[in-house]
Each structure stands twice: as structure tokens, then as C-alpha cells.
Amino acid sequence: MTWRPRLAEGTAPVLVVLLLLLVGLAIVGPAYDEPSGYLALLKRAAPLVVLAIGQYFVIVSGGFDLSVGALVTAGVVIAARLINGSESATVWVILLVLGFGVLVGLVNGLVTTKLLVPSFIVTLGMLLVLDGAIFLWTGGAPRGALSAGFRMFGRGAVDVPVLGKVPWSVLILLAVLAAAVLFMRGGTGRALVAAGDNEAAVRLSGGRVDRLRLLAFVLSGLLAAIAAILLGGFASVSAQVGDGLEFRAITAVVLGGVLLGGGRGSVVAAAAGALSLEALFTLLNLLGVSGALESAVQGVIIIAAVAYASLGSGVRLRLWPKQRNPVRPAQPESS
């Protein structure tokens, strides 16, 4: 019996869009006549793709994570301040940034699942908390510098036969994507999708919906920290380095066909959506289209996705979580 690769439902359309955009880049941009041009595209897109994979876990389980952009900013600013150019501090600061991402995801997940606060509100609040804390700590002007070892993950490359120099960020991206695909093919990954599709059915079958959604937020926080490490490699240390990335990640996920409200979508399609978004903006830039159009494009994609989720598929988005123990109607008194 031979194994044949099989695309998940809804993956093909975004792959077609991505292929058309790559063809457009090859026609418009001379830099894309060689593989090095596409490797450079992957390098630029790597932080967004990693963020989109994390956002996918949360959205497919029925939630939102608006805090990832602020978490990226916090990761870069904290790393620069603590490393301050010292190569010896690189390893423990990277571990600290990853742990901080897990901690933020854990807080988001616990407040959402235990206190039954909508994820939209919780993560919006976390965004404001992180932004305010970073501004208070830095006074609006981040200090310090990232070491060469830290920046290597975003700037450096390794020699690979045939391909030549492949950026570390691309290798990390491929590793994250492979791990995410394997995770989603396992029982926990399938249960995560089922929790977004039919929470009651998962509970009746013995599934721990709260734990599944908590895991989704933790994974989102961890991947946001990885994106911060990649972005810190080729971006300047700034208090605005992660601004707007949360909306780009959501746009990428819905462009990949993941249903807002949860229950359907492929992690490969979400990653392809992020790469398509980066390719689209690159193509628009090469065509001389104003960068202000990027926000408009993201808005159109999100509105279309919400309209499709609410009308086209008959699914209504839930901003507010369902009560675990709904109040039963009172029984009529016996005479």
C-alpha cells in the first residue's frame, strides 16, 4: 500500500492563490527569477507564518488571541534590555522570552476557561497590559542591544546542499510547521478542532474542553515568543515592532480558509494564508501601490470571512462563552 499525500479540506484554494501570487512576483520582480528571491520572501514571512500557526490553534478551538502583537514587542524589548549586547546572556534570555510567552498564554487561557471571560476581551486586555507595561518600563524609548547570537536566528543562514545558504528563520519555520502538522494529526489536535465545532459533544465524550483551549493559548504564546526571536533578528529594537501583527495573523488564518468561530480549518492552509499575505503585500509594493492599502486589504478579508462564517455556512460567531450549567426551567408545582 503506497502512501499518498492528502490535502485537508479547504487547503486547495489558498494554495492556488499562493501559486498565482508567486507567478506574479516572478513576472514583476527580477529578483524572483532565482530561488534566492523566494528564500528571501520566506525569511521575511517566517515571523508572520509562525504567528499565524499559533493563532490557528486558538481560532480553530473557538477563540481569538489579540495579544500576540504586543507579546512580540515585549519579547524583543525585554531581550534587548537584558542582553544589552552581551553574548554570554543570549541563551538564558532566549529561554526567558520563551517562558514569558508561555506564561502570557497560560494567563489568557486560565482567565478564558476558568472565569468564562470571552477570549476577545481577555486578550484585548492583555494587549493593553503588555503595551502599558513596556511603555512604563522603557519610557517609550527602548534601551539595550541584541547580541549577534540572538540576531543569528533572524539574519543568519546555514549552507544546505543544492539550495546554498538557507536562512535559519526558514529552517525554524519548517520545523514549527512540521511539528504543528503532526500535532493536529494526533488525538489532541483532532479534539481541539472538535471543541471548536461542537463543545457539548466533546464534553459528553469525556474530552476536557477547558484543557484543550488552555493548551491552544499556551501554544499561541509560545509561538509568539518564537516570532519575536525571529523578528528581532532583522528588525530594529522598537516599542512598535509588533504593532498590528495580531490583525495580520488573524487575516492570514481566515485567508487560509479557517472558519472564524472554530471547528474547521487546516494548519497548512493557515501557514499558506500567511505566506500569501506576505507575497501579496510584496507584489503590491513592486507595483508601486501605496502601503496604506495593506490595512484596507486586511479589513476586506476579515469582513468577508466573518460574513461567510455567519451567513454562508450558517454558523454564528460566539463572542461570549456558553454557560457550563444552563439554568433549567422551573417545573410546574403539583396540585
Side-chain angles (χ1 to χ4, degrees):
M1 182 177 179
T2 58
W3 177 82
R4 295 180 180 178
R6 185 175 57 182
L7 292 177
E9 181 184 358
T11 305
V14 70
L15 293 181
V16 172
V17 171
L18 177 58
L19 179 60
L20 293 175
L21 289 170
L22 294 180
V23 171
L25 287 174
I27 295 173
V28 175
Y32 296 94
D33 292 337
E34 299 179 0
S36 59
Y38 294 100
L39 283 176
L41 175 65
L42 276 174
K43 179 180 178 180
R44 293 195 306 273
L48 178 60
V49 177
V50 170
L51 269 184
I53 293 172
Q55 191 71 244
Y56 163 81
F57 291 133
V58 178
I59 289 180
V60 83
S61 65
F64 289 93
D65 191 350
L66 299 180
S67 66
V68 292
L71 183 51
V72 168
T73 299
V76 173
V77 171
I78 290 172
R81 183 73 175 269
L82 296 180
I83 292 177
N84 200 24
S86 173
E87 200 67 50
S88 61
T90 300
V91 175
W92 72 264
V93 170
I94 287 177
L95 295 176
L96 178 66
V97 170
L98 295 176
F100 182 70
V102 170
L103 177 62
V104 171
L106 187 62
V107 172
N108 285 336
L110 286 174
V111 175
T112 299
T113 58
K114 300 303 181 183
L115 301 182
L116 297 181
V117 181
S119 60
F120 185 90
I121 302 299
V122 174
T123 56
L124 177 61
M126 182 60 74
L127 180 154
L128 297 174
V129 168
L130 290 174
D131 277 349
I134 291 300
F135 183 84
L136 183 64
W137 189 38
T138 64
R143 296 185 293 275
L146 297 171
S147 63
F150 190 98
R151 288 188 178 275
M152 176 190 68
F153 296 104
R155 290 183 176 179
V158 60
D159 286 322
V160 175
V162 181
L163 294 177
K165 288 188 176 296
V166 177
W168 275 109
S169 57
V170 174
L171 297 177
I172 293 172
L173 166 60
L174 294 177
V176 168
L177 180 58
V181 170
L182 291 175
F183 172 77
M184 293 307 298
R185 287 184 176 179
T188 304
R190 291 195 295 269
L192 195 67
V193 178
D197 182 40
N198 193 329
E199 176 183 335
V202 175
R203 291 189 188 277
L204 289 174
S205 64
R208 301 296 296 272
V209 175
D210 289 354
R211 289 187 180 182
L212 289 169
R213 288 178 173 162
L214 177 62
L215 176 61
F217 279 105
V218 169
L219 290 174
S220 179
L222 175 61
L223 292 180
I226 294 176
I229 294 171
L230 297 181
L231 195 59
F234 56 86
S236 60
V237 178
S238 165
Q240 291 80 36
V241 67
D243 283 3
L245 283 179
E246 61 279 352
F247 296 111
R248 282 201 176 194
I250 293 174
T251 305
V253 171
V254 298
L255 181 60
V258 180
L259 188 67
L260 288 176
R264 194 181 72 191
S266 159
V267 67
V268 173
L275 186 55
S276 298
L277 199 63
E278 187 66 33
L280 174 62
F281 292 154
T282 301
L283 182 60
L284 292 176
N285 184 51
L286 290 174
L287 292 174
V289 178
S290 172
L293 188 62
E294 293 183 6
S295 296
V297 170
Q298 293 181 73
V300 168
I301 292 173
I302 291 176
I303 291 172
V306 171
Y308 174 77
S310 299
L311 302 176
S313 62
V315 177
R316 292 190 178 273
L317 299 183
R318 299 192 307 268
L319 282 180
W320 302 97
K322 293 181 179 179
Q323 293 182 351
R324 291 180 186 170
N325 299 310
V327 178
R328 297 179 179 178
Q331 297 294 328
E333 297 181 1
S334 58
S335 56

